Amino acid sequence: MERKQSGPIGRPRGFDPDEALERAMLVFWKHGYEGASTACLTDAMGISTTSMYAAFGNKEKLFRKVLERYDEGPSAYLAEALEEPTALGVATAILAGTVRTTTRPAGPHGCLGVQGALTVSDSGQEIRDLLVAWRNGGYSVVRERFRRAVDEGDLPADADPGLLARYVTTLAHGIAVQAASGVDRDELQELADAALRNWPLP
């Protein structure tokens, strides 16, 4: 008697790609790109190596999908912050979002995009380049938002949008590193507040 197959070979019944991707994101977030072994990833995702490759491609492709999910989920505060009506509001929301995201009680501390590939071997160079581009992309959209603030008179005419954007994004990355080192949320928020006390006003 011929047995019917209920789904693709190697894929367990009840496999949920979204849930598996969420679990993979937590592994990469906690261990970094190279620290997240294939065995660790598949164990967390609850699938076989065959299923992982069939659904997501290799480890690099999986990480790229994870980074997209991170943008749409934990890191979505950046896009929301850019909608604040003032440059100070933007900067405040970015730093508050960074503090909140990097110190989640139920998740890994730090930032996937900052710590994901700070140290990788030559084989991980494409991931390091990917994350450099990811961080530079964040800087660029903040710079453009501050440039608009200058044009609208919300920042002084002599304010440097690029320098202010670099200031805010560097603070955000530093907060992420401190959070990964165990500094608590209240202290990091105090740091963020102090950093913006001398923000240039029109």
Side-chain angles (χ1 to χ4, degrees):
M1 180 173 162
E2 185 179 354
R3 187 177 61 180
K4 293 182 179 179
Q5 293 181 348
S6 58
I9 297 174
R11 178 173 294 188
R13 183 177 295 177
F15 172 77
D16 183 338
D18 285 339
E19 183 178 340
L21 200 57
E22 179 75 17
R23 291 179 179 179
M25 180 180 72
L26 296 177
V27 173
F28 280 125
W29 194 344
K30 181 177 181 181
H31 298 289
Y33 178 73
E34 288 206 339
S37 67
T38 300
C40 185
L41 287 163
T42 54
D43 184 58
M45 296 162 79
I47 58 177
S48 67
T49 303
T50 303
S51 293
M52 187 189 86
Y53 278 89
F56 302 107
N58 60 21
K59 182 180 174 182
E60 180 186 323
K61 290 178 180 177
L62 174 62
F63 185 82
R64 289 176 183 274
K65 289 182 173 70
V66 159
L67 191 60
E68 290 174 5
R69 188 177 187 87
Y70 185 76
D71 268 337
E72 296 165 358
S75 191
Y77 66 84
L78 175 59
E80 295 168 3
L82 296 173
E83 300 301 319
E84 289 289 327
T86 67
L88 177 56
V90 171
T92 301
I94 288 173
L95 296 185
T98 302
V99 170
R100 187 172 61 250
T101 301
T102 59
T103 59
R104 302 191 316 169
H109 286 186
C111 172
L112 172 67
V114 172
Q115 289 135 244
L118 287 180
T119 304
V120 294
S121 63
D122 290 344
S123 63
Q125 184 63 46
E126 286 192 18
I127 293 300
R128 182 162 54 189
D129 292 344
L130 170 69
L131 290 178
V132 167
W134 182 83
R135 292 191 295 271
N136 286 339
Y139 158 76
S140 295
V141 295
V142 175
R143 180 189 61 200
E144 291 308 307
R145 176 62 183 83
F146 289 165
R147 185 169 289 157
R148 194 180 93 203
V150 172
D151 293 341
E152 295 173 349
D154 177 48
L155 282 171
D158 61 352
D160 184 336
L163 182 61
L164 288 174
R166 189 66 71 191
Y167 177 67
V168 171
T169 54
T170 299
L171 279 169
H173 297 159
I175 286 170
V177 172
Q178 291 297 310
S181 300
V183 180
D184 67 44
R185 177 175 291 192
D186 290 343
E187 185 175 347
L188 291 173
Q189 187 59 57
E190 287 177 9
L191 169 66
D193 294 342
L196 297 178
R197 282 184 193 138
N198 294 319
W199 187 258
L201 297 175

